[in-house]
Amino acid sequence: MQQKREQWSSKIGFIMAAAGSAIGLGNLWKFPYIVGTNGGAVFLIIYIIFLILLGIPILLAEMAIGRSAGKNAVDSCKTINPKFGFVGGIGILGAFLVLSGYGVVGGWVIKYIFKSFSYDNFTSDFFNEYISKPFEPVIWTFIFMALNVLIVTGGVSKGIERVSTVLLPLLLIFLFGLMIYSVTLPGAVDGIKYFLVPDFSGINSFSDISKIAINAMGQVFFSLSLGMGTLITYGSYLPKKSDLVSNTIMVVTLDTAIAIISGFTIIPAVFSFGLEVTGGPGLIFQTLPAVFMNIKGGSFISAIFFTLVLFAAITSAISLLEVIVSWFSDKTGLSRTISSVIAGGAAFLIGIAASLSFGTLSGIKILGMNIFDFLNHAADKVVMPIGGFLMCILVGYIWGIKPASDEISNGGSLRFRLKPLFAAAMKFIAPVLIIIIFISSLF
Ligand code: PFF
């Protein structure tokens, strides 16, 4: 006999969990540095356009697939069409790749919570020296992964929902406070300008635009957790009467708000101290500590900041783990606990290789990238867009706009004003955009 499927305990619980999945390292770590290395406000504009044309419709589509079928990512896609289970399978593969790399950065974040209190011996080399060590980062990655396994073992409403409902509001409140602090630092205004006023002078060729476009698209997918079956899995725990459109708008709004607040927290602070925002992935680990070192109570603020980053990372990592666990336990009949340990353990093993790729294994290059960069690149520039593309085909052409819209409008009982955008995005705009950007990025 099949057990009754778990459900979220309330609408707000679902929103906290889904927004918790969306809001993560992508907002607090990646977004500010991608804005910094992709021309500031120009990137922001393209990002918002893609959010509307790709992000909202695909998020809605995934949630509709999940709620309609009420199964894990693979079986939900199979329910729509028996030949399309592989779309969910690609998502699970992607979730696995992202989770492995996520665990490594999650480990760095935990280290920095403690490091905050000993910035006196901090130099800009600390970060590179630290991540290339063979043991310590691996241990923190293990601890990060173990925390996630523990939460997912608790189940959908008692584990994932409960943790997200506590951590996400804390993140919102404290990050907002930090932003106010940052934008009022002397000289912060230059950072605000960089973030908000487009400067087209850096864009001189087609390849400049194409680079910004692929980064913006990758960031939309990554930040909203798309193309990985996350929203299918979370959607499958939704009650039939829930309003998918308003859920989608809430999640996208919260995710974008946090990305922008995070930009407003980090970029002005970096400008205020005359540091470079183009520092790339080291921005919060290398550049930001130099800010913390120079302000009163900096250690304390730093510890709060990295704790918030940890909260955000956990509520995302559990969603990646849940995608895998939900499928794995259905497939094998193993318990949630055992499935979580196996999935988390496997992601940790790949995470070890990713962590060592900054030191011991730095000689191993895949397509010119170390293992960590390769995982990162494969996930948000390849697997997620392909997953997103296939979701559009599945919904736009296989399932059909009519049945999908019936699901979204709860059989016509809710108004679905976004239907024209949804239909156009699923059938044409999103698949075409994804292909164009994907191909142009290959050159
Ligand atoms: N959205 C998360 C972030 O912005 O950090 C990352 C992520 C979570 C990506 C879940 C994909 C996913 F399925």
Side-chain angles (χ1 to χ4, degrees):
M1 259 261 305
Q2 187 121 46
Q3 260 190 335
K4 195 174 174 308
R5 200 168 171 78
E6 284 190 80
Q7 280 200 345
W8 306 108
S9 71
S10 65
K11 177 180 168 94
I12 190 79
F14 166 77
I15 294 197
M16 290 293 139
S21 166
I23 297 165
L25 295 171
N27 306 59
L28 296 163
W29 167 60
K30 265 192 173 178
F31 184 79
Y33 88 69
I34 292 194
V35 172
T37 48
N38 283 274
V42 177
F43 174 86
L44 192 60
I45 296 170
I46 299 182
Y47 179 79
I48 290 174
I49 296 174
F50 286 174
L51 211 51
I52 297 168
L53 296 179
L54 304 172
I56 294 179
I58 297 178
L59 205 161
L60 191 52
E62 283 196 34
M63 219 189 279
I65 294 175
R67 198 202 36 190
S68 155
K71 299 185 182 143
N72 66 61
V74 173
D75 292 333
S76 287
C77 292
K78 265 193 198 156
T79 305
I80 303 290
N81 183 300
K83 292 205 184 89
F84 275 70
F86 76 97
V87 178
I90 291 178
I92 288 168
L93 171 73
F96 199 70
L97 296 179
V98 176
L99 184 58
S100 311
Y102 223 79
V104 174
V105 183
W108 300 345
V109 173
I110 306 183
K111 166 74 187 179
Y112 268 70
I113 298 177
F114 296 106
K115 180 72 193 165
S116 299
F117 296 101
S118 55
Y119 275 146
D120 26 332
N121 61 1
F122 189 90
T123 62
S124 61
D125 292 336
F126 173 81
F127 177 61
N128 288 326
E129 276 163 20
Y130 175 71
I131 64 175
S132 60
K133 287 187 182 169
F135 296 114
E136 196 185 334
V138 172
I139 292 169
W140 288 121
T141 299
F142 176 81
I143 292 174
F144 179 81
M145 218 54 113
L147 280 173
N148 290 299
V149 168
L150 209 65
I151 297 169
V152 169
T153 296
V156 174
S157 74
K158 298 217 173 65
I160 298 173
E161 179 179 338
R162 194 183 274 173
V163 168
S164 306
T165 309
V166 175
L167 297 189
L168 197 65
L170 285 176
L171 170 73
L172 280 168
I173 296 168
F174 281 98
L175 193 63
F176 195 76
L178 281 185
M179 176 187 79
I180 303 288
Y181 178 83
S182 177
V183 294
T184 49
L185 286 169
V189 78
D190 290 333
I192 299 176
K193 270 196 204 138
Y194 179 80
F195 194 35
L196 292 184
V197 182
D199 171 9
F200 294 95
S201 64
I203 301 176
N204 301 312
S205 63
F206 176 73
S207 92
D208 292 338
I209 302 178
S210 127
K211 179 190 140 220
I212 298 182
I214 181 85
N215 283 324
M217 178 171 83
Q219 181 63 13
V220 166
F221 276 103
F222 190 83
S223 193
L224 290 177
S225 311
L226 302 178
M228 308 255 109
T230 313
L231 272 305
I232 297 183
T233 309
Y234 275 21
S236 74
Y237 306 128
L238 275 172
K240 287 289 174 201
K241 60 179 191 335
S242 53
D243 181 344
L244 299 187
V245 177
S246 87
N247 286 346
T248 301
I249 302 287
M250 281 295 284
V251 172
V252 174
T253 307
L254 281 169
D255 184 66
T256 311
I258 294 283
I260 290 178
I261 293 178
S262 154
F264 270 125
T265 307
I266 293 162
I267 297 173
V270 169
F271 267 84
S272 165
F273 286 88
L275 300 163
E276 290 295 333
V277 274
T278 47
L283 187 61
I284 70 167
F285 296 109
Q286 244 168 337
T287 316
L288 209 54
V291 172
F292 293 133
M293 266 162 38
N294 283 301
I295 51 187
K296 236 180 48 217
S299 287
F300 186 63
I301 298 179
S302 172
I304 293 185
F305 175 78
F306 284 108
T307 306
L308 298 180
V309 180
L310 178 65
F311 288 176
I314 287 180
T315 56
S316 298
I318 52 181
S319 74
L320 290 159
L321 191 54
E322 178 63 19
V323 175
I324 309 169
V325 167
S326 160
W327 164 77
F328 191 73
S329 62
D330 284 349
K331 177 134 186 103
T332 58
L334 291 170
S335 71
R336 172 172 275 280
T337 307
I338 296 180
S339 304
S340 309
V341 172
I342 293 177
F348 169 64
L349 290 181
I350 302 193
I352 296 179
S355 179
L356 294 181
S357 72
F358 292 105
T360 322
L361 300 182
S362 61
I364 301 180
K365 298 274 188 246
I366 313 169
L367 302 174
M369 290 172 263
N370 70 19
I371 300 171
F372 178 89
D373 290 338
F374 174 76
L375 284 176
N376 229 333
H377 181 91
D380 65 355
K381 309 255 170 40
V382 183
V383 181
M384 294 181 115
I386 291 180
F389 174 82
L390 291 169
M391 296 293 170
C392 296
I393 302 302
L394 180 60
V395 171
Y397 294 94
I398 310 291
W399 194 14
I401 298 296
K402 169 90 177 66
S405 307
D406 283 347
E407 179 66 34
I408 292 168
S409 65
N410 297 351
S413 66
L414 298 173
R415 278 196 66 184
F416 181 22
R417 286 201 199 85
L418 291 180
K419 185 172 170 183
L421 169 72
F422 178 72
M426 283 297 115
K427 290 185 87 101
F428 311 108
I429 305 175
V432 171
L433 255 181
I434 294 172
I435 290 195
I436 294 179
I437 297 175
F438 188 67
I439 292 180
S440 73
S441 77
L442 299 177
F443 299 101

